[in-house]
């Protein structure tokens, strides 16, 4: 898929939200609705051997600019319970994989919804997220969030029972140091959970919809 076709999809999403909004949305309210870290121009490439999809950025987004993104506090408060509900629905199978009082870290903790869920499951949860505003919101709800890269947190070797990375691993420009640090800080036979967007689902939806203009 070309960058031009992806741009049309972005515009469709923007218009979808605009048609349903009851007022003009501020920049903070548009975050995670139409404004995302990966809104930059990019081609979507597919591996001819395995079918893996890859965004080929024409201009690499700055992680520094993402860290300074501003969010609308009222909008976060409204959507936050839905995030918590979504994580609570994952009790099976995840809760049974770790014991009570397990020490876990979430990389990319965002608003803190999983930290809240993990706490309800009896785990000791710490968040790591470079987003200053989203981390500020999580801290306001009483969660321990470190605003730095994972290797900079200096967790003790073998100190964690689990590390969770929900939907942000694909946004890490160089994941190797993160995986190396994960291997160091998670206990032997500990739990590493990584969730990424499903490229096959995306390409299958395109095929089923039969939209020639987006291919």
């Amino acid at each position: 898929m070309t960058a031009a076709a992806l741009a049309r999809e972005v515009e469709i999403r923007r218009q979808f939200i605009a048609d349903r909004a009851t007022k003009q949305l501020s920049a903070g309210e548009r975050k995670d609705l139409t404004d995302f870290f990966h809104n930059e121009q990019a081609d979507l490439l597919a591996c001819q051997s395995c079918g893996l999809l890859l965004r080929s950025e024409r201009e690499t987004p700055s992680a520094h600019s993402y860290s300074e993104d501003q969010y609308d506090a009222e909008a976060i408060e409204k959507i936050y319970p839905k995030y918590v509900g979504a994580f609570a629905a994952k009790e099976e199978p995840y809760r049974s994989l770790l014991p009570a009082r397990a020490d876990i870290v979430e990389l990319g903790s965002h608003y803190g919804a999983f930290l809240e869920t993990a706490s309800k499951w009896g785990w000791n949860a710490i968040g790591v997220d470079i987003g200053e505003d989203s981390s500020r919101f999580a801290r306001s709800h009483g969660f321990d969030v470190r605003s730095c890269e994972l290797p900079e947190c200096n967790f003790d070797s073998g100190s964690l029972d689990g590390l969770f990375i929900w939907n942000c691993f694909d946004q890490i420009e160089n994941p190797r140091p993160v995986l190396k640090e994960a291997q160091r800080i998670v206990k032997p036979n500990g739990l590493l959970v990584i969730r990424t967007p499903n490229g096959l689902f995306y390409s299958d939806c395109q095929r089923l919809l039969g939209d020639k203009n987006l291919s």
Side-chain angles (χ1 to χ4, degrees):
M1 177 182 278
T2 65
L6 279 180
R8 287 197 293 274
E9 285 199 349
V10 171
E11 175 57 25
I12 290 171
R13 181 182 63 207
R14 187 202 65 77
Q15 192 61 52
F16 178 87
I17 297 298
D19 290 345
R20 287 156 179 78
T22 57
K23 64 182 180 67
Q24 179 131 9
L25 300 178
S26 67
E29 291 173 316
R30 290 196 305 269
K31 292 302 300 177
D32 296 340
L33 289 176
T34 61
D35 296 349
F36 294 88
F37 181 43
H38 285 291
N39 264 5
E40 289 75 14
Q41 282 201 356
D43 300 299
L44 192 63
L45 309 180
C47 175
Q48 293 182 346
S49 298
C50 68
L52 178 73
L53 299 187
L54 171 72
R55 281 179 58 91
S56 178
E57 305 281 357
R58 296 193 174 186
E59 181 181 0
T60 304
S62 170
H64 176 72
S65 64
Y66 165 74
S67 69
E68 297 177 349
D69 278 355
Q70 298 293 308
Y71 292 80
D72 183 272
E74 184 177 350
I76 297 176
E77 289 288 2
K78 287 181 179 179
I79 199 171
Y80 181 73
K82 297 183 182 297
Y83 281 92
V84 174
F87 280 120
K90 301 181 184 301
E91 184 169 2
E92 290 294 334
Y94 294 106
R95 186 175 186 178
S96 62
L97 296 178
L98 292 174
R101 296 183 296 281
D103 294 315
I104 67 106
V105 163
E106 181 191 7
L107 179 59
S109 51
H110 206 220
Y111 301 145
F114 179 65
L115 301 179
E116 177 172 330
T117 303
S119 297
K120 290 178 179 177
W121 292 348
W123 299 346
N124 303 314
I126 296 175
V128 177
D129 198 303
I130 62 172
E132 296 177 2
D133 209 33
S134 54
S135 296
R136 188 180 301 114
F137 177 86
R139 292 191 194 99
S140 73
H141 283 63
F143 303 121
D144 182 355
V145 179
R146 319 287 171 85
S147 296
C148 58
E149 303 286 351
L150 182 63
E152 298 171 358
C153 292
N154 296 318
F155 292 112
D156 292 336
S157 298
S159 60
L160 301 180
D161 295 292
L163 175 64
F164 294 79
I165 310 176
W166 303 109
N167 281 7
C168 68
F169 185 76
D170 55 298
Q171 299 173 20
I172 301 172
E173 185 175 358
N174 183 10
R176 188 179 296 275
V178 174
L179 292 176
K180 185 176 180 180
E181 180 68 357
Q183 184 180 40
R184 185 186 72 83
I185 62 180
V186 176
K187 296 175 180 178
N189 300 316
L191 181 66
L192 173 63
V193 174
I194 299 177
R195 181 178 67 189
T196 62
N198 191 317
L200 178 61
F201 174 79
Y202 179 79
S203 57
D204 281 350
C205 283
Q206 281 192 312
R207 178 177 54 80
L208 292 172
L209 289 172
D211 191 339
K212 303 298 184 183
N213 293 323
L214 295 178
S215 61

